[in-house]
Amino acid sequence: LYGVARSAKALRAYTRGYILMMKLTLAYLYPREMNTYGDRGNVICLQKRLEWRGYKLDIVEHQPGDKLPVQVDMVFMGGGQDSGQAVIDTDFKRVAPWLRELAEANVPMLTICGAYQLFGHSFEMLDGSELQGIGILDVTTRAQTARLIGNLHIETEDFGTIIGFENHSGRTYLGPRAEPLGRVTMGAGNNGEDKTEGTRYRNIIGTYSHGPVLPKNPRLADWLIGRMPGIMSTKLEPLDDPYIDAARASAGARPR
């Protein structure tokens, strides 16, 4: 009996170790071209919040021409200049069917600024030319000469107040199938007209919020983590981190 009990104890310890070391995969699209205003910090935030819970996040950085990963638990793509968007355009169209398949399978995605625009239908340039998006998000964007710059507060139903920073010349308009991420109480948001900011579709978030957005908004970060296929069947334990609360309070007190 002692041997059986000892074996059972070892099995439980092994099982716990396997769970704690469970690996998840994040596809980070175009980190060289699409990484402005600290957007890479979102990836670091996800990695650390998973690590603190005993998970390992493998980050697969995808550049133009790379082979696509077989399986991913989340996709992230940051913002970039118009020149960066032009560099990735051909490859982005190549991977579009893969991204659409992941979207319909409810794989979570976070798209920031330029990525948010490219996940929509189109981006109309100042010269009248049009950059086609991949149409996962029901939004269209038009360039303007004046930029919308400053600290950003977004009131949301599921994540409370999202605190971020915006810097964009594009004006994004939601289509009939688009649900806004939230409504701005400070800043311009999607277009400076209708008080909307960002959009949501299935488990995809599109937003203009740089900063990066996730370290200052742990509820949003954990919502994305909780929808990763490798996490959904488990209970996501909350994290007690007073430094995050202090950082949010400091960031939230800044003027526009």
Side-chain angles (χ1 to χ4, degrees), residues 17-74:
Y18 173 78
I19 293 173
L20 289 176
M21 291 303 294
M22 181 178 177
K23 291 184 179 180
L24 302 163
T25 302
L26 180 140
Y28 183 3
L29 304 184
Y30 315 113
R32 286 198 303 263
E33 295 82 6
M34 307 294 286
N35 178 37
T36 57
Y37 310 114
D39 286 342
R40 182 182 288 271
N42 292 306
V43 176
I44 297 171
C45 175
L46 291 167
Q47 190 174 39
K48 296 305 294 185
R49 293 186 74 80
L50 281 162
E51 179 184 309
W52 292 333
R53 293 180 168 101
Y55 293 88
K56 175 178 173 56
L57 183 66
D58 285 339
I59 300 167
V60 178
E61 296 191 354
H62 175 84
Q63 296 293 350
D66 286 352
K67 184 179 178 180
L68 294 171
V70 174
Q71 182 177 348
V72 298
D73 294 279
M74 184 175 166

Side-chain angles (χ1 to χ4, degrees), residues 150-154 162-166 209-213 216-217 251:
N151 290 313
L152 181 65
H153 291 183
I154 314 159
I162 292 177
I163 299 170
F165 175 83
E166 63 182 339
S209 185
H210 292 284
V213 65
K216 296 190 292 291
N217 300 281

Side-chain angles (χ1 to χ4, degrees), residues 28 37 40 57 90 95 100 109 154 164 171 195 203 209:
Y28 183 3
Y37 310 114
R40 182 182 288 271
L57 183 66
T90 299
V95 304
R100 294 188 189 103
M109 304 183 189
I154 314 159
R171 306 299 196 267
K195 295 295 183 180
N203 289 333
S209 185

Side-chain angles (χ1 to χ4, degrees), residues 74-92:
M74 184 175 166
V75 174
F76 172 73
M77 183 170 164
Q81 304 297 326
D82 292 351
S83 58
Q85 295 184 31
V87 169
I88 69 165
D89 182 61
T90 299
D91 190 77
F92 191 55

